[in-house]
Amino acid sequence: MDTYTFLIQLLNGIQYGLLLFLVASGLTLIFGIMGVINLSHGSFYMVGAYLAWSLSQHLGSFWIALPTGIVLSVALGMLLEWLFIKHLYRRDHLQQVLLTYGLILIFSELRSILWGDDVHSVAVPALLAGSIPLTEMLSYPVYRLWLSLVCVILAGLMYYLIQHTKLGMMIRAGASNREMTQSLGINIDVLYRSVFALGVALAAFAGMIAAPVSSVFPGMGNQVLIVCFVVVVIGGIGSVKGAMAAALLIGLVDTFGKVVEVEIGGLRILPELAGMSIYVFMAIVLLWRPEGLLVRRQH
Amino acid sequence: MSKRLLIIGLSIGAVLLVAFPLIGDRFYIQFVTRILIMAMFAGSLNLLVGYTGLVSLGHAAFFGIAGYILALYAPETHAAGFWSSLLLSVSGAAVMALIIGALVLRTSGIFFIMVTLAFAEMLFFVFHDTAIAGGSDGIYIHERPVLMIGSWQPLNFANPSHFYYLVLVFSIGVILFMRTVLRSPFGQVIAGIRVNEHRMRALGFHTFRYKLVCFVIAGAIAGLAGYLAAVQFGVVNPEMLGWHLSGSVLMMVILGGMGTLAGPVLGAFSMMFLEEIFQALTKHWQLLIGAVIVLVALFLPRGLAGLLAKFNISPAAAGQSRRAPPHADV
C-alpha cells in the first residue's frame, strides 16, 4: 500500500469513525442519563437518510433538506419520548429492549409504506462536489472532508454543552442522581425529553449527511446500530469521550480490515473476514477491560 | 379449584397435541411442528432470561449454528445418520455457547445485552460474507437425516406426521429436563443469582461458573431446536442466526410469561398465530407485530401467564409473581 492510498484509507476510517460517534454518542447519552437501552436508535439514522433523500427531492436542495430534517427529527424525538420512552425509566432493561425492538419493526414498516423498499442515492451538493487531487490517479472528495469537519465541530459543541453550560450541568446532575436533581427544582421531565430529542437528532443528522456518500437502503439502521453497540461497549457506557475514542478505533479497524491483505498459513484472513474484524476487536477489549477502555475500574 | 382447572386444561392440551395429526391436514401439521420447535427454542432462552436474569439478544446464534453444522455435515448424495448428526449439531452449539458465554458473561446488565447481540451478529457475518456455506443464499440439505434403530426405521421424516411426533417427543423431553434442572440444587442457585448475585457470591458460590453452565445448557437446547428446524425446512440461511429471530424469540418468552415452564410454549403459540393472521391481513404485517410488542412491553410486562395469574388460574404463575424481586413492576 503506497502512501497516498494509505492516506485515503486513513481519512475514510476517521470519517466513518466520526459518523459512528454521532450515532453512538446519542445512544450512550440516553443510556448514561436516562438508563434506557434504545435499540431503535439505529432506526433514526435510517430515518435521517431517507429524510435527506425525500426532502432534497421535494424541496429541491440538500441545504434546505438538512435543517428541515433536523427540525423534524427533534419533533420525532420529543413525540417518541412522550409516547413511549418516558414509561421506561423505572422499568428493567428487558422491557426497554422489548419496546424499542417493537419500535424498530414499526419504523421499518412505516419506512416501507412511506418511501418503499428501494435503494436510493443522494447527490452530493454542488458546492462540495469537487475533489482534491493527490496524484495523477488518486483524489479525495471534498464532501467527505466537509463531513468529517462537521462531525468534529458537533463533537466540540457537545463537549462544550455538557461540560460548560447550565443545561450540561443539569444533564450531568440528572445522570448521577435523578431524585436529588428533581428535588433541587430542576424539571427532570423536560430535561430527559431534551436529551432524548438531542440523541434522535444526532443520529438522524448522521444519517442525513451520510446519505450522499453511502446509499440509502432499508437495512442501514440495524447495521449502524450493532456497530454502535460495539463502540459503546468498547468506550464504556455513558462515556461520551469513550465513545469518541472507540468510534475512531472502530472506524479505522473496519476500514483497514477491508483493504489490508492478511494470510495465515495460506488462508486468506483479510479482507475475506473483514466483517468480523470489529467483533474480534471487541472480544479482545472484553477480555482485557470488560468495563470499557476509558471507564475507571469500580472494584 | 384452580389447580383442577389447570390439570384439566393441560390434559385437554396433551390429548389435542397427540391426536392432532390424525385430523389436521398437512399444512397445519407442519405449522404446529414449527410452533413446537420455536417453543423449545423460547424455552431455552427462558432459562437465561426468566430463571437466571440474563437478557440475551443473540440467542439465535446457537439455533443457527446447529442448523449450519447439519447442513455442512450432511453429504449431498445420501442421507446423514440422525443420531450422529444430532449429536454433532447439539454439541457444536454447546461448544459455541461455551466460547461465547465465557466472553459475554464477563459483562452484565446492559453490556450483556449488547455484547450477546454483537457476537451473534459476528457469526451472522461469517456465514453471510464468506463462501463456506453458500453466503447470503444459504445452503440446502438435500437428503433429510434418517432415524435408524439397528436396521429398523421407525419414523420417516419426509412424512410430516412422523416428524411432528419426533418434535413433540423432543419438546416434552426438553420441558421435563428443564423442570428437573430447575428443581435441582443447581436450579436453586441460578434462581438465587437472578434475585441477588452479590449475595450468592458472598455465600461462596462461584456464580460465573453457574451462569456459564446455564448458558451452555440453553445454547445446547437452542441447538436442538435449530437442528430440528433445519431438518424440517431442508435449508439453512444466515437469517437463522439473525437478530430478528433473537428478538422475536425473546418476544415469545415475554409474551408467554418468563420464568414459567408453560410461558414460552404459550408465547410461541400466540406469536406464531398472530404472525400467521397478520400476514394474511396485510403485507405490512410487521407493523402490527411491532405494535403488539410495544403494547405488551407497556401493559403486560408479565405476559399471558401473568395475566392468567391475575385471574388466579395458573398457580405456577401466581407463585412466580410472589417470588419476584421487589423492584420488579407489578
Side-chain angles (χ1 to χ4, degrees):
Chain A
M1 198 187 299
D2 62 84
T3 324
Y4 283 110
T5 321
F6 178 80
L7 184 70
I8 288 174
Q9 296 304 338
L10 186 69
L11 285 172
N12 280 345
I14 290 173
Q15 174 245 305
Y16 179 48
L18 287 168
L19 212 51
L20 282 177
F21 167 75
L22 287 194
V23 186
S25 59
L27 197 66
T28 204
L29 267 180
I30 290 170
F31 181 76
I33 291 162
M34 316 191 309
V36 171
I37 171 168
N38 180 17
L39 293 190
S40 58
H41 206 70
S43 304
F44 306 137
Y45 178 80
M46 181 267 295
V47 166
Y50 272 90
L51 275 177
W53 169 73
S54 131
L55 288 174
S56 49
Q57 280 200 327
H58 285 101
L59 303 173
S61 157
F62 184 72
W63 299 114
I64 308 173
L66 220 48
T68 318
I70 294 172
V71 172
L72 285 177
S73 52
V74 169
L76 174 73
M78 296 212 158
L79 181 72
L80 285 176
E81 200 275 349
W82 178 66
L83 273 177
F84 304 113
I85 308 296
K86 74 169 182 196
H87 303 290
L88 292 176
Y89 296 146
R90 284 157 191 279
R91 304 257 189 123
D92 53 36
H93 294 325
L94 189 57
Q95 285 150 31
Q96 299 174 350
V97 164
L98 200 62
L99 191 143
T100 52
Y101 175 72
L103 288 182
I104 292 181
L105 298 183
I106 292 175
F107 277 118
S108 142
E109 283 297 340
L110 285 179
R111 188 256 318 132
S112 164
I113 293 168
L114 273 174
W115 294 310
D117 296 324
D118 298 331
V119 176
H120 300 286
S121 62
V122 174
V124 174
L127 191 62
L128 302 170
S131 43
I132 300 166
L134 294 172
T135 62
E136 281 170 28
M137 303 288 289
L138 298 168
S139 62
Y140 201 78
V142 177
Y143 184 81
R144 280 177 182 267
L145 289 176
W146 174 81
L147 196 160
S148 304
L149 187 69
V150 169
C151 292
V152 170
I153 293 171
L154 272 177
L157 281 176
M158 261 175 72
Y159 178 78
Y160 182 78
L161 174 84
I162 293 172
Q163 298 295 335
H164 297 285
T165 65
K166 196 163 177 207
L167 178 67
M169 207 198 295
M170 289 192 240
I171 289 176
R172 281 178 288 141
S176 58
N177 193 330
R178 182 191 159 101
E179 273 77 20
M180 184 61 87
T181 313
Q182 209 162 9
S183 64
L184 288 172
I186 289 163
N187 189 338
I188 208 102
D189 296 338
V190 173
L191 184 68
Y192 278 18
R193 194 159 300 157
S194 320
V195 171
F196 191 79
L198 175 71
V200 172
L202 279 172
F205 183 72
M208 285 180 233
I209 57 174
V213 287
S214 77
S215 51
V216 179
F217 61 98
M220 64 191 297
N222 296 341
Q223 204 175 38
V224 84
L225 174 79
I226 292 164
V227 180
C228 282
F229 275 2
V230 175
V231 167
V232 172
V233 167
I234 291 176
I237 284 169
S239 159
V240 176
K241 269 186 233 165
M244 181 52 129
L248 286 174
L249 277 173
I250 288 296
L252 291 172
V253 167
D254 187 72
T255 307
F256 281 100
K258 282 174 185 154
V259 289
V260 176
E261 288 184 28
V262 176
E263 272 192 18
I264 296 176
L267 210 69
R268 269 163 72 87
I269 303 293
L270 288 174
E272 259 64 18
L273 290 175
M276 278 181 71
S277 56
I278 60 168
Y279 302 103
V280 174
F281 185 67
M282 180 182 75
I284 295 168
V285 171
L286 275 181
L287 282 172
W288 174 42
R289 295 197 65 139
E291 53 286 276
L293 281 182
L294 291 189
V295 172
R296 236 176 273 128
R297 279 179 197 237
Q298 300 281 323
H299 45 88
Chain B
M1 172 62 201
S2 65
K3 187 144 195 174
R4 189 182 297 165
L5 215 70
L6 180 80
I7 291 169
I8 294 171
L10 278 179
S11 328
I12 293 174
V15 170
L16 278 179
L17 280 175
V18 172
F20 166 71
L22 305 174
I23 43 173
D25 74 19
R26 199 184 165 87
F27 172 79
Y28 286 104
I29 293 172
Q30 284 173 339
F31 181 54
V32 178
T33 309
R34 246 169 65 208
I35 293 179
L36 287 175
I37 291 174
M38 288 311 283
M40 243 185 279
F41 183 25
S44 72
L45 180 61
N46 188 28
L47 209 55
L48 297 177
V49 177
Y51 289 103
T52 324
L54 297 167
V55 182
S56 165
L57 202 53
H59 206 51
F62 313 114
F63 183 83
I65 197 80
Y68 266 104
I69 291 173
L70 170 65
L72 292 173
Y73 169 74
E76 254 185 55
T77 46
H78 59 276
F82 172 73
W83 298 113
S84 60
S85 59
L86 178 72
L87 191 69
L88 197 68
S89 291
V90 172
S91 42
V95 169
M96 192 55 83
L98 184 68
I99 297 169
I100 293 183
L103 282 169
V104 297
L105 287 169
R106 294 172 64 84
T107 65
S108 61
I110 184 178
F111 270 100
F112 185 81
I113 299 172
M114 298 202 265
V115 174
T116 45
L117 173 63
F119 277 113
E121 209 56 18
M122 178 175 100
L123 275 184
F124 176 87
F125 280 119
V126 171
F127 288 105
H128 189 272
D129 290 358
T130 63
I132 51 175
S136 60
D137 295 334
I139 179 171
Y140 283 95
I141 300 158
H142 294 281
E143 298 274 343
R144 286 197 168 81
V146 173
L147 172 63
M148 298 293 267
I149 300 173
S151 58
W152 175 50
Q153 186 186 357
L155 294 170
N156 175 12
F157 295 162
N159 181 332
S161 314
H162 285 198
F163 187 65
Y164 170 84
Y165 282 118
L166 178 85
V167 172
L168 185 64
V169 167
F170 270 117
S171 319
I172 294 168
V174 162
I175 288 184
L176 292 179
F177 171 73
M178 292 208 300
R179 207 170 98 114
T180 317
V181 168
L182 290 165
R183 290 190 171 183
S184 69
F186 174 81
Q188 303 297 313
V189 176
I190 60 169
I193 291 175
R194 187 194 73 229
V195 177
N196 192 332
E197 188 176 347
H198 286 288
R199 197 171 292 170
M200 292 309 283
R201 216 177 296 153
L203 285 171
F205 290 101
H206 202 304
T207 54
F208 179 84
R209 282 183 209 156
Y210 280 90
K211 289 196 286 186
L212 188 57
V213 170
C214 198
F215 201 82
V216 172
I217 294 175
I221 298 175
L224 170 66
Y227 172 88
L228 292 170
V231 174
Q232 184 180 21
F233 298 125
V235 60
V236 291
N237 58 40
E239 298 305 316
M240 264 181 96
L241 304 141
W243 77 308
H244 268 286
L245 188 60
S246 294
S248 77
V249 76
L250 187 62
M251 175 61 197
M252 288 175 191
V253 174
I254 295 163
L255 178 63
M258 53 170 186
T260 61
L261 280 174
V265 182
L266 198 62
F269 266 87
S270 329
M271 264 300 265
M272 302 277 284
F273 269 106
L274 275 183
E275 278 186 20
E276 207 64 23
I277 294 166
F278 290 163
Q279 275 173 8
L281 277 176
T282 160
K283 109 179 154 99
H284 299 292
W285 58 279
Q286 291 218 345
L287 187 66
L288 299 173
I289 289 284
V292 169
I293 293 178
V294 167
L295 291 175
V296 167
L298 284 177
F299 301 111
L300 213 59
R302 277 185 199 296
L304 294 171
L307 196 67
L308 292 178
K310 231 176 228 173
F311 298 107
N312 207 10
I313 295 176
S314 157
Q320 184 59 35
S321 68
R322 273 203 305 276
R323 279 203 305 273
H327 59 77
D329 288 277
V330 180

